[in-house]
Amino acid sequence: MDAFVLIGSFFGLMLIGVPIAYALGLAALIGALWIDIPLDAVMIQIAAGVNKFSLLAIPFFVLAGAIMAEGGMARRLVAFAGVLVGFIRGGLSLVNILASTFFGAISGSAVADTASVGTVLIPEMVKKGYPRPFAAAVTVSGSVQAILIPPSHNAVLYSLAAGGSVSIAALFMAGVLPGLLMGLTLAVLCLYKAHKHGYPKGEVIPLRQALKICAEALWGLMTMVIILGGILSGVFTANESASIAVVWAFFVTMFIYRDYKWRDLPKLVHRTVKTVTIVMILIGFAAAFGYIMTLMQIPMKVTALLTDLSDNKYVILAMINILLLVLGTLMDMSPLILILTPILLPVVKLLGVDPVHFGMIMMVNLGIGLITPPVGAVLFVGSAVAKLRIGEVTKAMMPFFGALFVVLLMVTYLPWLSLWLPRTMGL
């Protein structure tokens, strides 16, 4: 009954249109009143939820991604990807996937990836003879890489939701191979469709122009080296790498590329502050919600329920995948990470699943949710950029969903994909 009151009130509030963050907070208050916990304890949990040093990485990574998304870096990374693979049949679709890989390794945001890369490449792909729905589908599905490839602020949220017991650096490294596998799988699908439908080849870029493009893109690519190199070498922490990424992005955008106007900078910072404020409110209320869940022993009850259904690790992981896929289509990624991690992590730990590995399973599942109707935020952004209806893009994405499900199965049942690199690095 306790679980029904807490979770039922949460979904009931969402159904009547209350924003997710406030629904979490109000449901926590209702749950506290139900089990006769002082409301002061809920307020203390809200404050404690956002009073964590590791959370400093989130506003810095969001700001760095915003600066690079609007400062011309995306356009240069697209041009650089064109030098590498643009001359192949269907090359522009490969450019799209590769540009998403590069930009995801800088922004850490699937929405920013879709908006930035899509704005540049979707019109260009249509101009060269690619179907508009296909161009949109490639852009939307390719952006899921940004959730896995470091730096991902969702990895920071997962570490927080896991009680700080999972290293952010280990999560960053764990996302590298699954992210690259996802990009490779989507690229193979694009090559197949290009040859099947006769999509055009691109032109080989002259050497002098190619060198100029590479030199310009190098400034943006250095962001990846700074962030990952600094963390792996021990020169600075994940938090410090985020702040250094902001300084580097600002320097490159304003003094090297000089595409962005100084008068527009306050507006960009204002938008970033609004985004971060929403995230922090969500984190605080989710902390209170998780506290009430713990008092009601909901994680223990879920663990007992799943282990009663089956004692086979692979069967339970399959059930968890189905649960995450379904919920991912109905809710945004951040609240689901904060709500579900405290519930599901004890289950998988009991089965012997590494928490870092489970973090990657959760990221892939919820990343697919971001591009799936009815609530897929990235799908909506991609449809808006492509100027298409949601149904048209969704229909074109069916083969890409199949490719992503293959990646999901590999990440779920081949743990070394996620764990080899962190263990090799000693994380």
Side-chain angles (χ1 to χ4, degrees), residues 199-219:
Y199 293 154
K201 285 185 177 182
E203 297 177 359
V204 177
I205 298 174
L207 180 60
R208 180 175 294 182
Q209 186 181 350
L211 291 174
K212 181 182 177 183
I213 290 171
C214 292
E216 288 189 347
L218 184 63
W219 292 98

Side-chain angles (χ1 to χ4, degrees), residues 318 321 364 404-414 417:
N321 276 342
V364 177
L404 292 174
F405 288 141
V406 170
V407 174
L408 172 60
L409 292 174
M410 293 179 71
V411 170
T412 301
Y413 296 115
L414 298 175
L417 279 172

Side-chain angles (χ1 to χ4, degrees), residues 77-376:
L77 290 174
V78 167
F80 177 63
V83 171
L84 299 178
V85 295
F87 56 90
I88 303 170
R89 180 171 297 281
L92 270 183
S93 60
L94 300 184
V95 169
N96 198 319
I97 300 293
L98 189 57
S100 290
T101 307
F102 291 144
F103 194 73
I106 294 172
S107 72
S109 168
V111 172
D113 189 316
T114 298
S116 302
V117 174
T119 302
V120 177
L121 272 176
I122 291 177
E124 185 65 20
M125 289 180 71
V126 173
K127 181 180 174 183
K128 296 293 185 182
Y130 293 81
R132 187 177 290 270
F134 173 77
V138 172
T139 305
V140 169
S141 56
S143 68
V144 180
Q145 296 174 89
I147 294 165
L148 297 171
I149 295 175
S152 168
H153 58 261
N154 289 298
V156 179
L157 285 179
Y158 174 78
S159 175
L160 168 72
S165 60
V166 185
S167 163
I168 295 174
L171 289 169
F172 278 3
M173 289 299 99
V176 172
L177 289 183
L180 294 178
L181 173 66
M182 183 177 290
L184 179 62
T185 305
L186 293 172
V188 170
L189 175 60
C190 287
L191 283 173
Y192 167 75
K193 292 186 77 66
H195 283 83
K196 180 179 179 181
H197 299 289
Y199 293 154
K201 285 185 177 182
E203 297 177 359
V204 177
I205 298 174
L207 180 60
R208 180 175 294 182
Q209 186 181 350
L211 291 174
K212 181 182 177 183
I213 290 171
C214 292
E216 288 189 347
L218 184 63
W219 292 98
L221 295 172
M222 278 297 295
T223 311
M224 294 185 288
V225 177
I226 291 170
I227 293 172
L228 297 182
I231 293 173
L232 294 177
S233 64
V235 175
F236 41 73
T237 65
N239 283 355
E240 292 164 346
S241 75
S243 58
I244 291 168
V246 170
V247 174
W248 179 257
F250 178 80
F251 169 73
V252 171
T253 297
M254 306 308 294
F255 296 100
I256 304 297
Y257 292 159
R258 291 184 288 184
D259 287 351
Y260 202 73
K261 296 179 175 60
W262 285 87
R263 65 173 179 268
D264 293 332
L265 199 58
K267 295 178 183 177
L268 184 146
V269 173
H270 179 254
R271 289 195 298 272
T272 302
V273 169
K274 284 178 65 177
T275 301
V276 171
T277 301
I278 294 168
V279 172
M280 290 302 176
I281 291 172
L282 176 62
I283 290 171
F285 288 155
F289 188 84
Y291 171 69
I292 301 298
M293 279 199 308
T294 303
L295 293 179
M296 292 179 172
Q297 298 185 328
I298 292 175
M300 293 176 59
K301 292 173 183 175
V302 172
T303 301
L305 174 64
L306 288 175
T307 51
D308 285 344
L309 289 173
S310 174
D311 58 358
N312 187 305
K313 175 172 72 173
Y314 303 108
V315 172
I316 293 179
L317 284 176
M319 290 191 290
I320 289 174
N321 276 342
I322 294 169
L323 174 67
L324 291 173
L325 285 170
V326 172
L327 291 178
T329 66
L330 302 174
M331 288 177 61
D332 199 20
M333 186 171 190
S334 297
L336 282 174
I337 291 174
L338 294 167
I339 295 168
L340 294 177
T341 301
I343 297 175
L344 297 177
L345 194 56
V347 179
V348 297
K349 279 185 174 179
L350 189 65
L351 299 171
V353 177
D354 190 285
V356 173
H357 175 213
F358 181 65
M360 295 303 106
I361 294 173
M362 182 171 276
M363 298 292 174
V364 177
N365 273 293
L366 300 183
I368 294 173
L370 284 178
I371 62 173
T372 308
V375 187

